[in-house]
């Protein structure tokens, strides 16, 4: 309903006209979201430029379109803030679009430019690849080069081994946590056939968790840890 005002006062409310957007809001809502890959398996989206100040916390729907496909797929059915950081892989490239969930509004934003997630660095021979989920928000602790160095230095110190054995492959920022992927290589003097017996990953998940959570995550906690590669013990022919 609309009310007109002048020096004499305000009019009676008009008849209801249904949903509508004022000013340049409708045009702004068609702006494509910003999208970028943050690692080999994660992406970030932002579309704060689409949100009017009075609707910055309104619900949104997010969809993506893989390159070569003509079918849009749901990434987020409903999200209350105009940004997200998600685990997501799209090596062939994907476009994204968003739409506010408003009664009567049916227009999507224009699609973003195509974004591709690059492949992760290959695993070195006889190395162990470990994926760690850390319960500390990227907003509270950016994983900058200094933090990366402290992370690997502290891990080497707590586990009592050489710093050169820890190679940080990538750090994936998510909405409220980090996923850190690192490779642990055998000691320089270790023979290949003894790589399994000498790798620090065999020293127990508890030791690794305590080292990470207690020493260099700034009060964060380890959510999970897993060894993601397959190794071959050449001396015994046992595959693990």
């Amino acid at each position: 309903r609309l009310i007109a005002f002048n020096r004499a006062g305000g009019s009676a409310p008009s008849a209801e006209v249904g949903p509508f957007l004022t000013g340049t809001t409708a045009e702004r809502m068609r702006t494509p979201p910003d999208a970028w890959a943050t690692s080999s398996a994660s992406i970030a989206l932002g579309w704060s430029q689409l949100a009017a100040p009075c609707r910055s916390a309104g619900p949104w729907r997010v969809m993506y379109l893989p390159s070569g496909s003509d079918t849009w797929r749901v990434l987020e059915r409903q999200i209350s803030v105009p940004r997200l950081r998600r685990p997501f892989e799209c090596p062939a490239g994907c476009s994204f679009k968003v739409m506010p969930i408003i009664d009567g509004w049916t227009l999507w934003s224009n699609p973003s430019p195509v974004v591709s997630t690059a492949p992760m660095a290959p695993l070195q021979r006889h190395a162990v690849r470990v994926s760690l989920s850390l319960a500390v928000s990227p907003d509270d602790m950016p994983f900058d080069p200094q933090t990366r160095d402290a992370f690997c230095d502290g891990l080497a110190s707590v586990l009592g081994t050489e710093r050169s054995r820890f190679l940080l492959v990538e750090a994936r920022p998510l909405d409220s946590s980090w996923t850190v992927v690192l490779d642990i290589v055998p000691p320089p003097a270790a023979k290949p056939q003894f790589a399994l017996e000498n790798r620090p990953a065999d020293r127990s998940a508890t030791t690794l968790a305590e080292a990470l959570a207690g020493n260099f995550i700034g009060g964060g906690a380890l959510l999970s840890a897993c060894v993601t590669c397959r190794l071959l013990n050449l001396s015994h022919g046992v595959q693990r």
Side-chain angles (χ1 to χ4, degrees):
R1 297 176 182 271
L2 300 178
I3 300 176
F5 288 91
N6 60 21
R7 292 180 179 178
S11 69
S14 71
E16 185 174 327
V17 297
F20 71 98
L21 294 173
T22 60
T24 60
T25 302
E27 180 180 349
R28 187 171 63 245
M29 298 278 248
R30 304 303 305 279
T31 306
D34 297 320
W36 62 98
T38 54
S39 74
S40 67
S42 59
I43 53 99
L45 297 176
W47 58 96
S48 59
Q49 71 275 19
L50 278 68
C54 63
R55 283 190 298 276
S56 59
W60 299 81
R61 187 160 294 153
V62 185
M63 299 190 77
Y64 70 97
L65 178 70
S67 295
S69 174
D70 57 2
T71 303
W72 286 90
R73 306 172 188 180
V74 175
L75 180 63
E76 283 289 340
R77 193 163 299 279
Q78 183 168 319
I79 184 171
S80 61
V81 293
R83 65 179 176 87
L84 62 80
R85 294 180 294 230
R86 290 287 185 275
F88 189 82
E89 294 184 55
C90 195
C94 291
S95 293
F96 301 86
K97 65 181 181 180
V98 300
M99 182 177 70
I101 302 175
I102 302 173
D103 288 343
W105 183 263
T106 59
L107 297 178
W108 289 87
S109 71
N110 290 317
S112 73
V114 173
V115 175
S116 302
T117 50
M120 191 158 45
L123 180 68
Q124 296 186 28
R125 191 182 182 193
H126 304 300
V128 177
R129 177 155 289 173
V130 181
S131 176
L132 308 168
S133 183
L134 308 175
V136 56
S137 170
D139 296 327
D140 298 330
M141 188 196 75
F143 223 80
D144 54 27
Q146 183 176 359
T147 303
R148 291 175 181 233
D149 288 342
F151 182 90
C152 291
D153 290 344
L155 184 57
S157 174
V158 171
L159 296 182
T161 190
E162 299 90 343
R163 164 65 174 83
S164 60
R165 297 186 64 187
F166 298 90
L167 306 176
L168 200 146
V169 180
E170 64 181 27
R172 303 168 186 164
L174 306 178
D175 279 341
S176 58
S177 65
W178 283 96
T179 295
V180 179
V181 180
L182 60 97
D183 289 349
I184 307 175
V185 301
K191 297 181 179 180
Q193 61 263 37
F194 299 120
L196 285 174
E197 288 78 7
N198 286 290
R199 70 183 191 273
D202 275 347
R203 303 187 83 183
S204 89
T206 300
T207 301
L208 189 59
E210 290 175 350
L212 292 170
N215 289 273
F216 22 81
I217 302 303
L222 187 70
L223 294 178
S224 64
C226 67
V227 178
T228 58
C229 72
R230 293 163 64 87
L231 296 177
L232 185 67
N233 185 327
L234 302 178
S235 62
H236 303 294
V238 177
Q239 189 167 333
R240 299 188 181 180

